[in-house]
Amino acid sequence: AQRVTQPEKLLSVFKGAPVELKCNYSYSGSPELFWYVQYSRQRLQLLLRHISRESIKGFTADLNKGETSFHLKKPFAQEEDSAMYYCALRGTSYGKLTFGQGTILTVHP
Amino acid sequence: DVKVTQSSRYLVKRTGEKVFLECVQDMDHENMFWYRQDPGLGLRLIYFSYDVKMKEKGDIPEGYSVSREKKERFSLILESASTNQTSMYLCASSPVDTYEQYFGPGTRLTVT
């Protein structure tokens, strides 16, 4: 069975501070990991995927197979980063994703 | 521009009613999904479809059924709505090459 755990329901930081949203997964095969984001009154959208190894809006995430983690990081948080963030895992079945519980990030001015 | 639309943003139904939630995508995607989104529980997959008339149960299919008669349309059916089905329902679609999922705006269903 595949599972994604986001241990923090809520995360608050001040503008300019570093931020790290934690994600741990459980999967026996070779996973594909994603981060999705939902800004206030907007639809859920893809933020980044581990295979592309990109930095999107200053966010990066590295897949650590040893620790089965895919934490999302940004060195200097901005107020517009405030949103709900979901970590997701794709196994092998038709693009089906397993999502974590989500973390609400609030960046204070 | 990628578009997934859902028939209603807000819906209020009574216990025992049959409820239809409609989702339409205009991207010719093969895969379509229905999730429910609840605080503290994240997104949970109800059903998905990988082709017309093909469907598979997700993690929480009980109390729900689906229909996919055309490639662009995926319907979620609550045969007899119950109060514990009060939730936000999200539809998504994805192509089979990137598997990136594109989401609709959601339908907030309240069952009283």
Side-chain angles (χ1 to χ4, degrees), chain A residues 9 32 34 36 38 41-46 49 84 86 90 93-102, chain B residues 3-5 31 33 35 37 40-43 45 48 50 56 59 90 94 98-101 103-105:
Chain A
K9 282 189 180 179
E32 188 173 357
F34 305 82
Y36 279 79
Q38 189 169 29
R41 287 185 285 278
Q42 293 187 28
R43 60 184 70 192
L44 194 61
Q45 59 187 291
L46 178 68
R49 56 200 303 168
M84 169 73 90
Y86 290 101
R90 183 175 82 82
S93 175
Y94 299 111
K96 189 178 81 162
L97 294 178
T98 297
F99 284 84
Q101 301 91 328
Chain B
K3 270 291 185 337
V4 179
T5 57
N31 297 336
F33 308 83
Y35 297 91
Q37 182 182 32
L41 297 177
L43 272 73
L45 182 65
F48 69 101
Y50 50 91
E56 281 204 17
D59 301 314
L90 299 182
S94 77
T98 66
Y99 291 113
E100 176 179 345
Q101 291 195 14
F103 285 83

Side-chain angles (χ1 to χ4, degrees), chain B residues 14-28:
Chain B
R14 294 189 181 273
T15 302
E17 280 193 82
K18 190 169 187 175
V19 182
F20 292 86
L21 303 183
E22 303 282 338
C23 175
V24 178
Q25 52 98 0
D26 65 358
M27 298 159 285
D28 201 37

Side-chain angles (χ1 to χ4, degrees), chain A residues 36-107:
Chain A
Y36 279 79
V37 61
Q38 189 169 29
Y39 301 103
S40 179
R41 287 185 285 278
Q42 293 187 28
R43 60 184 70 192
L44 194 61
Q45 59 187 291
L46 178 68
L47 179 63
L48 55 79
R49 56 200 303 168
H50 89 269
I51 58 171
S52 61
R53 302 185 67 81
E54 294 175 298
S55 173
I56 306 292
K57 299 185 178 184
F59 284 99
T60 58
D62 290 317
L63 179 60
N64 185 324
K65 291 187 177 180
E67 295 182 1
T68 60
S69 68
F70 187 57
H71 302 327
L72 183 68
K73 300 176 185 179
K74 185 169 183 177
F76 307 103
Q78 303 299 314
E79 289 177 69
E80 56 265 30
D81 297 327
S82 296
M84 169 73 90
Y85 291 81
Y86 290 101
C87 182
L89 178 153
R90 183 175 82 82
T92 56
S93 175
Y94 299 111
K96 189 178 81 162
L97 294 178
T98 297
F99 284 84
Q101 301 91 328
T103 298
I104 298 173
L105 173 66
T106 303
V107 181

